[in-house]
Amino acid sequence: MIAPVVLVTGCTEGGIGYELCKTFSKQGCRVFATARRIESMKGLEDSNCTKLVLDVTNLDSINECFQKVIDEAGHIDILVNNAGAPAVGALLDVDYKVAHTCIETNVFGVLSVCRVVGRHMAERGSGKIVNVGSIVGYAGTPWAGIYSISKAAVHSMSDVLRLELKPFNVHVTVVAPGSITSNFGNASTKTVNIPENSLYKSVTNFIFARANMSQGDSATPTHVFAEKVVKGILVPKPKSYITVGTNSITFLILYYLPYWIKDAVLGKRLGVNQVKTLTK
């Protein structure tokens, strides 16, 4: 059996993309790991992964990376769109540069890579596209509004791609991670912006806590997450949604609950009820 060729974006050491590469490789796949900087993927060569530079927000970079994979492997069987950028803070406060980076990377970056690789797969008549969304794609949370918007867009985009690529035998799957051990919490904290005139100064502690919420002691280990995801993707016909990790069931339930219940749960959990209102 010919080893499936896998292209994974966002493979910086310490993240879920890094672990996904290692796990795909263990399962006998030929893996191309990508990130904006080669040096950020240190160690993946030990797992027989080929490391390539890829900036998903740059069309020239996407085309160049794609061509290198085709030149070396001839085709791509599985694309995992994992590259992502965080954004934490109240919607009225988030720095626009952070917001634009988040949306550009998480939404247009995914779309841009799908347009190149998806076309290739459609012309071959087979392939699997895996877009990494999030449990906040099911239920957006306070203090992570921009990030929630971006992941909800990934879910919606994938639902459409799944239908549009079905005639070409290309499967599209959303992977919605819950709380997974990674370096994402540190990256999220760096995006927090609470201006002096913020309406939410009184809940600063909740906003910073939201940035690290996915990295608590109960977070699912990255290798456990990767093993479940890779197993689910390597079957002949993967599910449309694979939801894995701590808090994932909670957010699936929230997705189906009436809004007033969801608002009450998230408002209490994330400190919205403790925001001090303005005095007249």
Side-chain angles (χ1 to χ4, degrees), residues 185-209:
N186 291 332
S188 297
T189 300
K190 294 177 182 178
T191 69
V192 176
N193 179 49
I194 306 176
E196 284 301 316
N197 64 344
S198 173
L199 297 172
Y200 308 100
K201 292 279 285 186
S202 58
V203 289
T204 294
N205 58 321
F206 282 98
I207 295 174
F208 275 98

mmCIF file of all heavy atoms in Angstrom, residues 185-209:
data_model
loop_
_atom_site.group_PDB
_atom_site.id
_atom_site.type_symbol
_atom_site.label_atom_id
_atom_site.label_comp_id
_atom_site.label_asym_id
_atom_site.label_seq_id
_atom_site.Cartn_x
_atom_site.Cartn_y
_atom_site.Cartn_z
ATOM 1 N N GLY A 185 -2.083 28.931 24.926
ATOM 2 C CA GLY A 185 -2.423 29.834 26.018
ATOM 3 C C GLY A 185 -1.458 31.000 26.116
ATOM 4 O O GLY A 185 -1.868 32.157 26.289
ATOM 5 N N ASN A 186 -0.164 30.714 26.003
ATOM 6 C CA ASN A 186 0.839 31.786 26.051
ATOM 7 C C ASN A 186 0.658 32.750 24.895
ATOM 8 O O ASN A 186 0.766 33.971 25.057
ATOM 9 C CB ASN A 186 2.245 31.186 26.021
ATOM 10 C CG ASN A 186 2.593 30.443 27.297
ATOM 11 O OD1 ASN A 186 2.075 30.754 28.368
ATOM 12 N ND2 ASN A 186 3.477 29.461 27.198
ATOM 13 N N ALA A 187 0.400 32.184 23.715
ATOM 14 C CA ALA A 187 0.201 33.040 22.535
ATOM 15 C C ALA A 187 -1.040 33.903 22.701
ATOM 16 O O ALA A 187 -1.056 35.079 22.307
ATOM 17 C CB ALA A 187 0.081 32.166 21.286
ATOM 18 N N SER A 188 -2.077 33.338 23.301
ATOM 19 C CA SER A 188 -3.324 34.083 23.509
ATOM 20 C C SER A 188 -3.134 35.237 24.480
ATOM 21 O O SER A 188 -3.651 36.342 24.282
ATOM 22 C CB SER A 188 -4.416 33.141 24.030
ATOM 23 O OG SER A 188 -4.717 32.137 23.091
ATOM 24 N N THR A 189 -2.395 34.991 25.549
ATOM 25 C CA THR A 189 -2.163 36.019 26.565
ATOM 26 C C THR A 189 -1.500 37.249 25.968
ATOM 27 O O THR A 189 -1.806 38.392 26.355
ATOM 28 C CB THR A 189 -1.295 35.454 27.702
ATOM 29 O OG1 THR A 189 -1.973 34.346 28.302
ATOM 30 C CG2 THR A 189 -1.033 36.507 28.763
ATOM 31 N N LYS A 190 -0.615 37.042 25.007
ATOM 32 C CA LYS A 190 0.100 38.148 24.373
ATOM 33 C C LYS A 190 -0.817 39.058 23.568
ATOM 34 O O LYS A 190 -0.453 40.177 23.238
ATOM 35 C CB LYS A 190 1.218 37.600 23.482
ATOM 36 C CG LYS A 190 2.330 36.899 24.251
ATOM 37 C CD LYS A 190 3.364 36.305 23.305
ATOM 38 C CE LYS A 190 4.445 35.569 24.073
ATOM 39 N NZ LYS A 190 5.446 34.937 23.168
ATOM 40 N N THR A 191 -2.013 38.575 23.225
ATOM 41 C CA THR A 191 -2.931 39.386 22.415
ATOM 42 C C THR A 191 -3.891 40.214 23.255
ATOM 43 O O THR A 191 -4.621 41.046 22.725
ATOM 44 C CB THR A 191 -3.765 38.490 21.478
ATOM 45 O OG1 THR A 191 -4.692 37.700 22.258
ATOM 46 C CG2 THR A 191 -2.870 37.560 20.652
ATOM 47 N N VAL A 192 -3.912 39.980 24.576
ATOM 48 C CA VAL A 192 -4.873 40.677 25.433
ATOM 49 C C VAL A 192 -4.613 42.184 25.425
ATOM 50 O O VAL A 192 -3.481 42.635 25.584
ATOM 51 C CB VAL A 192 -4.805 40.156 26.887
ATOM 52 C CG1 VAL A 192 -5.734 40.968 27.783
ATOM 53 C CG2 VAL A 192 -5.192 38.675 26.931
ATOM 54 N N ASN A 193 -5.691 42.935 25.225
ATOM 55 C CA ASN A 193 -5.592 44.391 25.237
ATOM 56 C C ASN A 193 -6.748 44.941 26.071
ATOM 57 O O ASN A 193 -7.907 44.744 25.734
ATOM 58 C CB ASN A 193 -5.668 44.943 23.805
ATOM 59 C CG ASN A 193 -5.593 46.455 23.779
ATOM 60 O OD1 ASN A 193 -4.718 47.049 24.405
ATOM 61 N ND2 ASN A 193 -6.504 47.093 23.061
ATOM 62 N N ILE A 194 -6.401 45.609 27.176
ATOM 63 C CA ILE A 194 -7.423 46.209 28.036
ATOM 64 C C ILE A 194 -7.071 47.691 28.210
ATOM 65 O O ILE A 194 -6.276 48.053 29.084
ATOM 66 C CB ILE A 194 -7.495 45.510 29.406
ATOM 67 C CG1 ILE A 194 -7.690 43.997 29.223
ATOM 68 C CG2 ILE A 194 -8.646 46.092 30.252
ATOM 69 C CD1 ILE A 194 -7.673 43.211 30.511
ATOM 70 N N PRO A 195 -7.619 48.560 27.373
ATOM 71 C CA PRO A 195 -7.307 49.985 27.438
ATOM 72 C C PRO A 195 -7.709 50.606 28.780
ATOM 73 O O PRO A 195 -8.533 50.046 29.512
ATOM 74 C CB PRO A 195 -8.148 50.580 26.295
ATOM 75 C CG PRO A 195 -8.481 49.429 25.409
ATOM 76 C CD PRO A 195 -8.588 48.244 26.322
ATOM 77 N N GLU A 196 -7.116 51.738 29.085
ATOM 78 C CA GLU A 196 -7.417 52.413 30.342
ATOM 79 C C GLU A 196 -8.896 52.776 30.459
ATOM 80 O O GLU A 196 -9.452 52.791 31.551
ATOM 81 C CB GLU A 196 -6.561 53.688 30.466
ATOM 82 C CG GLU A 196 -5.116 53.421 30.843
ATOM 83 C CD GLU A 196 -5.001 52.689 32.175
ATOM 84 O OE1 GLU A 196 -5.712 53.079 33.126
ATOM 85 O OE2 GLU A 196 -4.215 51.732 32.264
ATOM 86 N N ASN A 197 -9.524 53.075 29.318
ATOM 87 C CA ASN A 197 -10.941 53.452 29.360
ATOM 88 C C ASN A 197 -11.859 52.278 29.049
ATOM 89 O O ASN A 197 -13.026 52.464 28.715
ATOM 90 C CB ASN A 197 -11.205 54.586 28.376
ATOM 91 C CG ASN A 197 -10.966 54.162 26.923
ATOM 92 O OD1 ASN A 197 -10.325 53.120 26.674
ATOM 93 N ND2 ASN A 197 -11.462 54.944 25.986
ATOM 94 N N SER A 198 -11.353 51.061 29.157
ATOM 95 C CA SER A 198 -12.150 49.883 28.853
ATOM 96 C C SER A 198 -13.360 49.782 29.776
ATOM 97 O O SER A 198 -13.285 50.077 30.973
ATOM 98 C CB SER A 198 -11.306 48.611 28.999
ATOM 99 O OG SER A 198 -12.112 47.457 28.871
ATOM 100 N N LEU A 199 -14.460 49.323 29.226
ATOM 101 C CA LEU A 199 -15.664 49.084 30.021
ATOM 102 C C LEU A 199 -15.516 47.850 30.898
ATOM 103 O O LEU A 199 -16.358 47.591 31.762
ATOM 104 C CB LEU A 199 -16.870 48.888 29.091
ATOM 105 C CG LEU A 199 -17.269 50.074 28.215
ATOM 106 C CD1 LEU A 199 -18.352 49.647 27.225
ATOM 107 C CD2 LEU A 199 -17.761 51.234 29.078
ATOM 108 N N TYR A 200 -14.424 47.103 30.681
ATOM 109 C CA TYR A 200 -14.276 45.802 31.321
ATOM 110 C C TYR A 200 -13.060 45.702 32.239
ATOM 111 O O TYR A 200 -12.601 44.613 32.551
ATOM 112 C CB TYR A 200 -14.232 44.706 30.248
ATOM 113 C CG TYR A 200 -15.401 44.812 29.302
ATOM 114 C CD1 TYR A 200 -15.247 45.401 28.051
ATOM 115 C CD2 TYR A 200 -16.661 44.363 29.679
ATOM 116 C CE1 TYR A 200 -16.326 45.532 27.194
ATOM 117 C CE2 TYR A 200 -17.746 44.489 28.826
ATOM 118 C CZ TYR A 200 -17.572 45.073 27.576
ATOM 119 O OH TYR A 200 -18.644 45.218 26.740
ATOM 120 N N LYS A 201 -12.578 46.864 32.712
ATOM 121 C CA LYS A 201 -11.436 46.868 33.630
ATOM 122 C C LYS A 201 -11.738 46.070 34.894
ATOM 123 O O LYS A 201 -10.844 45.455 35.488
ATOM 124 C CB LYS A 201 -11.072 48.303 34.013
ATOM 125 C CG LYS A 201 -10.508 49.138 32.871
ATOM 126 C CD LYS A 201 -9.040 48.869 32.643
ATOM 127 C CE LYS A 201 -8.213 49.525 33.732
ATOM 128 N NZ LYS A 201 -6.768 49.400 33.454
ATOM 129 N N SER A 202 -12.994 46.059 35.294
ATOM 130 C CA SER A 202 -13.371 45.387 36.543
ATOM 131 C C SER A 202 -13.264 43.865 36.460
ATOM 132 O O SER A 202 -13.288 43.185 37.491
ATOM 133 C CB SER A 202 -14.805 45.769 36.938
ATOM 134 O OG SER A 202 -15.721 45.440 35.908
ATOM 135 N N VAL A 203 -13.148 43.324 35.250
ATOM 136 C CA VAL A 203 -13.050 41.862 35.108
ATOM 137 C C VAL A 203 -11.766 41.478 34.371
ATOM 138 O O VAL A 203 -11.723 40.475 33.660
ATOM 139 C CB VAL A 203 -14.291 41.277 34.389
ATOM 140 C CG1 VAL A 203 -15.516 41.348 35.278
ATOM 141 C CG2 VAL A 203 -14.528 41.972 33.048
ATOM 142 N N THR A 204 -10.738 42.274 34.577
ATOM 143 C CA THR A 204 -9.447 41.995 33.942
ATOM 144 C C THR A 204 -8.975 40.573 34.235
ATOM 145 O O THR A 204 -8.440 39.889 33.363
ATOM 146 C CB THR A 204 -8.391 43.003 34.432
ATOM 147 O OG1 THR A 204 -8.739 44.314 33.977
ATOM 148 C CG2 THR A 204 -7.005 42.644 33.902
ATOM 149 N N ASN A 205 -9.184 40.146 35.473
ATOM 150 C CA ASN A 205 -8.722 38.803 35.851
ATOM 151 C C ASN A 205 -9.434 37.709 35.051
ATOM 152 O O ASN A 205 -8.828 36.699 34.674
ATOM 153 C CB ASN A 205 -8.922 38.566 37.350
ATOM 154 C CG ASN A 205 -10.365 38.727 37.789
ATOM 155 O OD1 ASN A 205 -11.077 39.614 37.314
ATOM 156 N ND2 ASN A 205 -10.811 37.899 38.714
ATOM 157 N N PHE A 206 -10.705 37.926 34.741
ATOM 158 C CA PHE A 206 -11.447 36.940 33.951
ATOM 159 C C PHE A 206 -10.958 36.918 32.497
ATOM 160 O O PHE A 206 -10.925 35.851 31.870
ATOM 161 C CB PHE A 206 -12.952 37.247 33.985
ATOM 162 C CG PHE A 206 -13.629 36.815 35.244
ATOM 163 C CD1 PHE A 206 -13.861 37.723 36.273
ATOM 164 C CD2 PHE A 206 -14.032 35.498 35.424
ATOM 165 C CE1 PHE A 206 -14.491 37.329 37.443
ATOM 166 C CE2 PHE A 206 -14.659 35.093 36.594
ATOM 167 C CZ PHE A 206 -14.892 36.006 37.610
ATOM 168 N N ILE A 207 -10.599 38.077 31.990
ATOM 169 C CA ILE A 207 -10.132 38.150 30.606
ATOM 170 C C ILE A 207 -8.797 37.423 30.456
ATOM 171 O O ILE A 207 -8.602 36.635 29.515
ATOM 172 C CB ILE A 207 -10.018 39.622 30.155
ATOM 173 C CG1 ILE A 207 -11.416 40.260 30.143
ATOM 174 C CG2 ILE A 207 -9.365 39.713 28.774
ATOM 175 C CD1 ILE A 207 -11.426 41.744 29.851
ATOM 176 N N PHE A 208 -7.893 37.651 31.386
ATOM 177 C CA PHE A 208 -6.608 36.937 31.324
ATOM 178 C C PHE A 208 -6.800 35.441 31.583
ATOM 179 O O PHE A 208 -6.116 34.609 30.984
ATOM 180 C CB PHE A 208 -5.622 37.534 32.328
ATOM 181 C CG PHE A 208 -4.876 38.726 31.789
ATOM 182 C CD1 PHE A 208 -5.286 40.013 32.093
ATOM 183 C CD2 PHE A 208 -3.777 38.553 30.966
ATOM 184 C CE1 PHE A 208 -4.606 41.116 31.586
ATOM 185 C CE2 PHE A 208 -3.088 39.650 30.457
ATOM 186 C CZ PHE A 208 -3.504 40.931 30.761
ATOM 187 N N ALA A 209 -7.751 35.115 32.452
ATOM 188 C CA ALA A 209 -8.027 33.704 32.710
ATOM 189 C C ALA A 209 -8.575 33.032 31.458
ATOM 190 O O ALA A 209 -8.280 31.858 31.186
ATOM 191 C CB ALA A 209 -9.027 33.568 33.861
#
